[in-house]
Amino acid sequence: MTELSGRAANRADIIARAEAEMTRMGVDQAFIDRLVDTFYGRIQQHPNLGPVFEARLSGRWPEHMVKMKSFWSSIAFKTGAYGGKPVQAHHGVEGMAEELFGQWLHLFALTLRDIGASPAAGDWFINSAERIARSLVLSLFYNPALDDPNRQPQPPAN
């Protein structure tokens, strides 16, 4: 077996295992579509999140929905089909604030519950969303220089 065909077989095995895991949890493409449609419908109505998303996506909601369905499908089924750049997409968004990510996660968890996700699917999706949110928060708001002990305020000399 060549290295290339070995990688293809390994990739196919990863995708097959992910599909089987998602099936056991009751997740298929229709579930992901319902999750994304319901969640972003709620985002649009949210008093804090809605204006931030609308300012960025006005007139482009249909494209965003397709992109988000591809994103979540790619993560769930490990297909690698999503080729976007989430950090760059969220960088410089007017009104973007670190505390909005907690509201986003809360709304996401409520949506999973309300659409009837199985406990396993709910846990899997919220854990994935929390990892994504942490990554975005670190990328967008964390300044490692602030952790540098040499840059910390020094107590006044007596």
Side-chain angles (χ1 to χ4, degrees):
M1 183 182 298
T2 68
E3 183 179 339
L4 190 55
S5 64
R7 282 189 207 163
N10 184 49
R11 180 172 159 76
D13 184 51
I14 289 169
I15 292 170
R17 281 186 280 136
E19 287 176 354
E21 178 185 12
M22 290 296 125
T23 298
R24 279 192 300 278
M25 290 190 275
V27 174
D28 57 10
Q29 189 58 50
F31 173 89
I32 291 172
D33 291 350
R34 189 169 63 255
L35 171 62
V36 170
D37 288 337
T38 304
F39 177 64
Y40 283 99
R42 290 174 174 188
I43 285 282
Q44 290 175 303
Q45 302 304 314
H46 193 275
N48 299 325
L49 297 169
V52 175
F53 276 80
E54 184 59 31
R56 182 69 165 205
L57 297 172
S58 181
R60 298 185 305 117
W61 277 101
E63 295 88 354
H64 184 69
M65 300 301 284
V66 168
K67 187 180 287 188
M68 291 301 91
K69 289 173 184 180
S70 173
F71 174 79
W72 281 107
S73 184
S74 180
I75 291 173
F77 300 114
K78 299 190 183 339
T79 63
Y82 178 78
K85 296 179 171 130
V87 173
Q88 289 88 335
H90 292 84
H91 187 72
V93 172
E94 187 176 334
M96 179 72 69
E98 186 173 348
E99 61 271 9
L100 292 178
F101 284 87
Q103 295 174 42
W104 183 91
L105 285 168
H106 178 72
L107 191 60
F108 194 73
L110 289 175
T111 301
L112 285 162
R113 182 200 68 199
D114 292 348
I115 67 168
S118 70
D123 288 346
W124 189 92
F125 276 90
I126 200 64
N127 288 335
S128 297
E130 286 171 348
R131 280 193 304 276
I132 292 161
R134 269 193 308 275
S135 175
L136 285 170
V137 165
L138 285 172
S139 297
L140 297 171
F141 302 107
Y142 175 67
N143 180 349
L146 297 176
D147 286 341
D148 183 346
N150 296 323
R151 293 184 177 222
Q152 299 301 311
Q154 299 300 315
N158 290 335

